[in-house]
Each structure stands twice: as structure tokens, then as C-alpha cells.
């Protein structure tokens, strides 16, 4: 067995890299075809989900296989090999088996214990079988992974250790509230009609939303999903389908929107969501910077009143890098006039001085524009000036009161990879966005249930059993070739006997033939059974070579048996 897996996931790569490396259906098919066409690989399968891309192969050379699979992943993902390599992981033989079994059980998922991965593994196997890139090894591996995953979910409480990505995402949207209470009576928009979107729609329906609108590029699929939701026995949700161009209008009516499409670009931009919020609320949607009005009427009033208040005398702040005495009289409470034209280096000096009384001597960067390039630092200092009434003295400034963020009225859940919803939506007031990246952060500290340890023991046992079975199977073609050679010897000896005894009747000929076969079978039984047992143990691969050498077996005969078994396995359906 020379099983190799090269891949990347949410554990090894940031979301930005996973997004760019994601493979659509056509890219996955081409990757499979190119992998089996490559010299080191005989079989191949791709497992591509929203948070992992893994290429499995049966290779005859480890280092050449790693290099080839890594190069192919880079070529088909569009991410350069130098950028992709630091995020790739490699597992070989038993470690590769252990990895896939752990994935199948949900141990390697973003949300521990989620069961959707089993369907994705089944789809990966079916895809490889359709293209005839899965032989005996990958058929056995993936089908066993499916059985191990089902066993883990049936024999343990791994489901309690985590929820499906959809459920976990809705819990994050609800921000600690009961999902059913939070969802009851809301209107939901589901963008996409694939497996993940369908699961999201069904979950929302069971949670008690009043209405679900399904939008999809293929309108017929949206209609089919809406019909299934409407006819469900366990819910009374009202569901209808709309074309994709109706999404902006439907978003103004929706309380919750879930998006999971196969689009390569954004489905909802920050501008589109901002326009939706302005349309539904007539209020500003930009998240204000700390201490700045940003259009907020209440803050603007405070600033206006503060501007009318006489400014306290600057006084003599010894060694202060800002020459306050040189500032024009009557500069505003916002402090713009006091700091106008000052570069970042000077402002940084003042910050260090105000905090500790130490002046930092840092020369101005050559060619740095002024003052536009320093606008952010100037604004920060101005915000502090607003709070304390003047440019800070040599003491640590009091924290600036932040403008409260309004309660969300639109909840967005982005389950797509690459993302469907612009990450900049996080900054819009009145909107709560949960995406793959925030789900990863939220689940990082999730408690591990005791059942996880039980699943790990199951995985370890199954890996050992699979390795033993594969090592035993490796010697099977040699045993078959040995028995075939013995049968040929028996046939030759019987033919020779008939030449010497031409008058031998059929009854005696059959009896002699049967006797010779029994003798040969008894002589071969103990060695072949024992050699299978020995081959199943770690390090037992050499017994097949020893058997071939001792009985002078034709290597081509053994290889032909292997090819016959392999061609049969390639067309075997998934478990």
C-alpha cells in the first residue's frame, strides 16, 4: 500500500487562501484526470469541501508523489506553488488512513462531530468511480471511511460534541439566544439550492421561521426546493422561489439570509447590503470610528456643544513634542488646527511622550506625503482631543467612549467557499454577518466532549484493521498465482498419466485426479494461511516477495491477477 494524501484545510491555511484554492466541479474532474495521467499515481480521488481540499492517490514513489500532487493542486487551484506549499500537509500510508477516518468521523471538521462530511466523502468516491480513477485501494479506503464514520455516529455521542455547520452558524447569529426563539416568525432568504442551502432552508423551517424565499440561478431548482419545504409534514412554513435578480428586493424584506452558492465572485457586496439597509431603515449604515460622529445626530450634537465651550489654557508642558504655544488661538475642540500639517513621526513622538514622558527620536520617512497620509493618526489624536478638551498632557489619555453599535436587524450567514458575502459587511451597522472565518474562530474554543475520546479509539482500531486487511490483500495475488501454478502442475501430471495408462477408465481417472488435488491443497493450505497472517502484521510486505522467490512464480502472472482484481474494484459502487 502506498497511499498518499496532500491537502490543505481550515487547520493549515487561512480562509483567504482556502477561498482562492477552492475547486469547482470541472476543476475537480480535470485534477483527477491529470493525477492518474501523472507518472507516480495509479489511482486518485479528490475531497473538496467548503473548508478543505485534499488529493488522495496510490503512488509508487513517495517523494515524487508529493512533488507531483503538490504541483497539480497548485496548477488547478490557481494559487502559486510557492504560496500554497507552506499551507499543505502530507500524510502517507497508515497516517493517511488515520486522517481520512478522522475526517469521516467529524474529528477534523470546523465544528467537531458534524455529519455532512460523510455525504461529501461519498460524493468524492462516486466522482472517482465515474471517471475510473478509483481502484482497489481507494475504493476500499473510502468505503471503509464511510463505515467508520457511520459507526462513530451510531456508537458514540459525537453528535453532541458539535453541530452541523448550518446549526452552529445559526447559533452564532442568535448570539447565545435559543435558536427557535430567535428564528420564530422571521422571514428568511436562502440563496442557492444545493445541498448546503437545502439543509439551511430545512433547518430554518424546523426552527420556526414564518417564510422562506429561495433564490437560485436555475429557477427550476429553486422551485423544487420551495415545493419540498412547503409540503413538509413537520413544518408549516410558507416557501416560494424567485430568480437571482430578485435578491436585492427580497433582501429588504428578509430578516435572515443564508447564502451558499458555487459562484466564483461575490453574490452580495457591501454596497448592495448597505443599500438594502438604507432602503429598509433610512439610517446610516457605516460603522462609526471610535469617538467620531460619522453622521450620528447625537454625537454631532455633543461635538457642536463642545466646540462652543472655551478651550482650557494649554499651559507649559515641558518637552512636549507638539508646540502648542505656536498654534493659532481659537483652534477647535476637535484639535484639527493644532495637529494640521504634522506628520506621523511627530504624532508618534507625542503619543510616546504622553504615555511615559519619553520623547522618541524617529526621523520622518523620506518621501512620505503630508498630511493626507497621516489622516488616520491625526483623526485618532483628534478623537482624544474631543474627549479631554485639548491635546493630551503628559499622562495616559482616558479611553474614548465608543458610539454604541445598533442592534442588528439583518442577519447574514455565509456558508460558501469562496465567500458569497463581502467581508466588509462586518462593518455595517444593523447587520450581523457570520461566515466561514468567524465560524472557525468561534469553534476554536468549543468544549470537547468525552465522546470524542471514544471516537478516537474507534479510529485507531479501524486504522489497524484496515492496514492489516490491506497488507493481507497485497499477498493475495501471489497466493492466487501459487495455487494457479499448482493446478497447472496437477493437470500436467494427470495428462502424463493418461499417456502412460491409455486404458484408464473415467472413474479411476477422476479418483486419481481428485486425490492428487487433495494432496496439493493440503500441502499448500498451511503455508498460504500462515503467510496471509504474517503479511497482515506490520512489516509483513516482504512475505509476498519471499513466496514468489521460493516457488519461482512468474511476476507477470502475479501482476495480471492484481490487474484483474483492480479493474473489478474500479467499478464498485459506494457503500
Amino acid at each position: 500500500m502506498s497511499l498518499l494524501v496532500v491537502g490543505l484545510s481550515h487547520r493549515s491555511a487561512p480562509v483567504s487562501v482556502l477561498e482562492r484554492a477552492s475547486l469547482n466541479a470541472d476543476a475537480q474532474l480535470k485534477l483527477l484526470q491529470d493525477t492518474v495521467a501523472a507518472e507516480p499515481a495509479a489511482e486518485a480521488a479528490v475531497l473538496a469541501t467548503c473548508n478543505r481540499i485534499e488529493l488522495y492517490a496510490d503512488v509508487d514513489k513517495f517523494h515524487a508523489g508529493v512533488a507531483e500532487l503538490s504541483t497539480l493542486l497548485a496548477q488547478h487551484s490557481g494559487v502559486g506553488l510557492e504560496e500554497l506549499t507552506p499551507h499543505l500537509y502530507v500524510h502517507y500510508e497508515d497516517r493517511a488512513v488515520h486522517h481520512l477516518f478522522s475526517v469521516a468521523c467529524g474529528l477534523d471538521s470546523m465544528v467537531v462531530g458534524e455529519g455532512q462530511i460523510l455525504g461529501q466523502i461519498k460524493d468524492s468516491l462516486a466522482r472517482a468511480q465515474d471517471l475510473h480513477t478509483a481502484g482497489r485501494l481507494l475504493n476500499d479506503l473510502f468505503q471503509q471511511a464511510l463505515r467508520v464514520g457511520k459507526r462513530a455516529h451510531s456508537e458514540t455521542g459525537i453528535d453532541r460534541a458539535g453541530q452541523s455547520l448550518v446549526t452552529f452558524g445559526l447559533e452564532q447569529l442568535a448570539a447565545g439566544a435559543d435558536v427557535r426563539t430567535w428564528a420564530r416568525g422571521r422571514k428568511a432568504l436562502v440563496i442557492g439550492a444545493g445541498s448546503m442551502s437545502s439543509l439551511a432552508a430545512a433547518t430554518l423551517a424546523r426552527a420556526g421561521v414564518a417564510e422562506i424565499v429561495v433564490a437560485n440561478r436555475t429557477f427550476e431548482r429553486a422551485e423544487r426546493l420551495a415545493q419540498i419545504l412547503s409540503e413538509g409534514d413537520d413544518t408549516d412554513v410558507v416557501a416560494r422561489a424567485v430568480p437571482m435578480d430578485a435578491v436585492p428586493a427580497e433582501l429588504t424584506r428578509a430578516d435572515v439570509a443564508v447564502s451558499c452558492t458555487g459562484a466564483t465572485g461575490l453574490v452580495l457586496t457591501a454596497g448592495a447590503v448597505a443599500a438594502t439597509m438604507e432602503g429598509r431603515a433610512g439610517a446610516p449604515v457605516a460603522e462609526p470610528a471610535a469617538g467620531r460622529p460619522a453622521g450620528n445626530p447625537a454625537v454631532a450634537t455633543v461635538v457642536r456643544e463642545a466646540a462652543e465651550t472655551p478651550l482650557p489654557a494649554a499651559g507649559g508642558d515641558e518637552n512636549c513634542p507638539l508646540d502648542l504655544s505656536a498654534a493659532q488661538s481659537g483652534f477647535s475642540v476637535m484639535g484639527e488646527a493644532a495637529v494640521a500639517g504634522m506628520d506621523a513621526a511627530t504624532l508618534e513622538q507625542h503619543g510616546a511622550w504622553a504615555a511615559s514622558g519619553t520623547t522618541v527620536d524617529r526621523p520622518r520617512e523620506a518621501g512620505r506625503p503630508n498630511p493626507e497620509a497621516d489622516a488616520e493618526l491625526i483623526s485618532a489624536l483628534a478623537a482624544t482631543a474631543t474627549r479631554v478638551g485639548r491635546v493630551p498632557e503628559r499622562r495616559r489619555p482616558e479611553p474614548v467612549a465608543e458610539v454604541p453599535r445598533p442592534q442588528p436587524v439583518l442577519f447574514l450567514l455565509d456558508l460558501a467557499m469562496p465567500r458569497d458575502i463581502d467581508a466588509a459587511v462586518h462593518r455595517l451597522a444593523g447587520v450581523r454577518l457570520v461566515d466561514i472565518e468567524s465560524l472557525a474562530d468561534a469553534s476554536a474554543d468549543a468544549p470537547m466532549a468525552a465522546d470524542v475520546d471514544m471516537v478516537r479509539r474507534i479510529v485507531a482500531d479501524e486504522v489497524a484493521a484496515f492496514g492489516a486487511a490491506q497488507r493481507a490483500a497485497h499477498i493475495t495475488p501471489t497466493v492466487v498465482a501459487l495455487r494457479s501454478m499448482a493446478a497447472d502442475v496437477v493437470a500436467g501430471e494427470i495428462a502424463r498419466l493418461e499417456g502412460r495408462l491409455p486404458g484408464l477408465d473415467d472413474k479411476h481417472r477422476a479418483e486419481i485426479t481428485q486425490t492428487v488435488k487433495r494432496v496439493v491443497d493440503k500441502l499448500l493450505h498451511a503455508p498460504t494461511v500462515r503467510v496471509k497472517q504474517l503479511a497482515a502484521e506490520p512489516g509483513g510486505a516482504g512475505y509476498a516477495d519471499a513466496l514468489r522467490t521460493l516457488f519461482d512464480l512468474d511476476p507477470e502472472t502475479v501482476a495480471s491477477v492484481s490487474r484483474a482484481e483492480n479493474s473489478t474494484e474500479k467499478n464498485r459502487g459506494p457503500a
Side-chain angles (χ1 to χ4, degrees), residues 102-152:
S102 298
V103 170
C105 293
L107 292 179
D108 197 58
S109 295
M110 185 176 295
V111 181
V112 174
E114 63 94 8
Q116 297 172 35
I117 189 65
L118 284 175
Q120 294 161 334
I121 291 175
K122 188 172 183 178
D123 291 342
S124 297
L125 176 58
R127 187 182 304 111
Q129 289 173 335
D130 290 342
L131 290 178
H132 304 288
T133 64
R136 181 190 59 79
L137 175 60
L138 292 186
N139 268 296
D140 288 349
L141 174 69
F142 275 70
Q143 293 193 46
Q144 186 64 19
L146 292 171
R147 286 190 284 268
V148 173
K150 292 174 183 176
R151 179 188 170 192

Side-chain angles (χ1 to χ4, degrees), residues 153-164:
H153 285 280
S154 64
E155 295 183 12
T156 75
I158 187 66
D159 294 329
R160 295 193 298 269
Q163 309 83 9
S164 73

Side-chain angles (χ1 to χ4, degrees), residues 418-430:
R419 70 178 79 236
D420 278 349
I421 303 175
D422 192 346
V425 170
H426 280 292
R427 297 195 293 270
L428 300 182

